[in-house]
Amino acid sequence: MGIEISKEDKDATYVVLPAYNEATRIQPVIEEIAEKGYNMVIVNDGSSDNTLDVILESKRKYPDQIHIFSLTINRGVGIATQTGFDAVLRFNPKYVVSMDSDGQHSVDDLDNVLEPLVTGRAKAVIGVRPFKDMPFSRSFANGIMNLLTKIFYKVDVSDSQTGFRAITIDALKQITINARGYLISSEFIREVNDKNIPFEEVPIKTIYTPETQAKGTNVNEAIKILFQMIRHQF
C-alpha cells in the first residue's frame, strides 16, 4: 500500500453509502469523501429522521459528486446496499466501494482499500478491522461469524462482518446480494469466493462511539444470521 490514487481513478470510483437514521452523523462522512475527490451513491433507507434533508444540504455543496436514491420504507442494510450497487451501474464506474455512513469508518482508508484494485492485484477487497480495538461483545460476535462463514460458505477471512469493501465493476456484475440485513457481509464474501473473484484483505481503522457500538453484528445479530445461513442451505 502507499500509492496515491490518481484523479482519473477517483473520478471512476463510486462510494455506496446505505443510510438509515444517520442525520447526526452522515454529513461529515459524505463531505470528507467529496473533498477527497470521490463520487457517491447514497441510499436513504426509509429514514424516519431528517437524514434526507442533511444529505440534500451536502448535495447542494457537491452537486456533481453526490447522487441520492431513497427507499420509501426501511428495508435493511443488505437491500439498501444492493440498491446502491444496482444504481451505480448507470454511472459506468471502474471501481465501487461500500462503507458505513455513521462515521465508524475512516475516509482516509478509501485509498488503501482501492489500491489492490487499481494496481490489478485483486478484483475485490474487504477492509479488516483490528479485533483488539473492538468492545468484547462485538469481537466475540465477529469471531463467531468468521467461524460460521468458514463453515457455511467455505471461505476463511479475518473479518467477515466488515462493512467496508471494494470491487471492480466487472466483478460486481458477477455477484448477487439477496440479504436484507447484516448477512450481506458474509454473503458478499461468499459470492466473491464462489465466483472465483481474486480478493485481498486490507487493514482499516474503526472509530468506535457509543452510537456505532450499538449497531452492527452483536451476539443477537449473529444468532439471527446463523438461522439465515441455515435457511439458505435448503
Side-chain angles (χ1 to χ4, degrees):
M1 290 185 285
I3 74 161
E4 184 175 345
I5 306 300
S6 69
K7 182 181 185 304
E8 180 182 5
D9 285 325
K10 287 183 177 183
D11 288 342
T13 300
Y14 277 74
V15 181
V16 172
L17 293 159
Y20 175 62
N21 289 350
E22 301 291 2
T24 62
R25 297 172 288 273
I26 194 171
Q27 193 164 36
V29 176
I30 59 181
E31 295 195 2
E32 189 174 348
I33 293 172
E35 285 294 319
K36 287 185 73 69
Y38 290 102
N39 306 295
M40 282 160 277
V41 165
I42 304 173
V43 181
N44 174 36
D45 187 19
S47 297
S48 57
D49 65 0
N50 64 327
T51 293
L52 181 57
D53 294 332
V54 172
I55 299 170
L56 287 168
E57 182 180 335
S58 293
K59 182 172 174 60
R60 286 190 284 271
K61 300 178 187 177
Y62 306 95
D64 298 328
Q65 292 172 260
I66 296 175
H67 307 275
I68 305 168
F69 296 83
S70 284
L71 302 175
T72 55
I73 60 172
N74 176 237
R75 301 293 304 279
V77 66
I79 291 177
T81 302
Q82 182 62 49
T83 299
F85 285 162
D86 291 341
V88 83
L89 296 177
R90 70 185 65 188
F91 303 107
N92 196 31
K94 288 174 63 177
Y95 312 112
V96 179
V97 179
S98 69
M99 59 185 288
D100 294 339
S101 59
D102 60 3
Q104 71 170 286
H105 293 147
S106 172
V107 175
D108 288 338
D109 280 324
L110 273 170
D111 291 5
N112 295 334
V113 168
L114 278 168
E115 191 258 356
L117 306 185
V118 172
T119 58
R121 291 201 316 271
K123 294 185 178 180
V125 173
I126 61 170
V128 176
R129 300 163 294 178
F131 275 34
K132 63 181 178 60
D133 294 340
M134 292 183 186
F136 174 75
S137 61
R138 185 66 57 80
S139 63
F140 179 73
N142 282 320
I144 292 173
M145 287 310 309
N146 285 353
L147 178 61
L148 293 177
T149 300
K150 183 176 182 179
I151 291 171
F152 284 96
Y153 295 157
K154 307 298 188 289
V155 56
D156 190 8
V157 293
S158 303
D159 187 0
S160 64
Q161 299 309 293
T162 180
F164 205 151
R165 56 188 78 86
I167 191 166
T168 66
I169 193 64
D170 291 338
L172 178 62
K173 292 176 180 177
Q174 297 179 51
I175 70 173
T176 302
I177 304 296
N178 295 310
R180 173 187 172 94
Y182 291 114
L183 179 61
I184 181 180
S185 298
S186 293
E187 195 170 60
F188 178 88
I189 293 166
R190 182 202 67 193
E191 284 287 293
V192 165
N193 185 65
D194 287 355
K195 301 300 192 304
N196 295 313
I197 296 168
F199 77 93
E200 191 169 306
E201 298 183 345
V202 171
I204 60 170
K205 298 183 288 290
T206 303
I207 303 161
Y208 288 108
T209 67
E211 291 173 313
T212 59
Q213 287 185 42
K215 300 168 60 179
T217 306
N218 53 31
V219 175
N220 289 336
E221 286 294 337
I223 293 171
K224 292 178 186 177
I225 294 171
L226 168 61
F227 284 112
Q228 291 170 0
M229 285 179 162
I230 293 171
R231 190 164 61 246
H232 286 179
Q233 303 304 306
F234 303 99

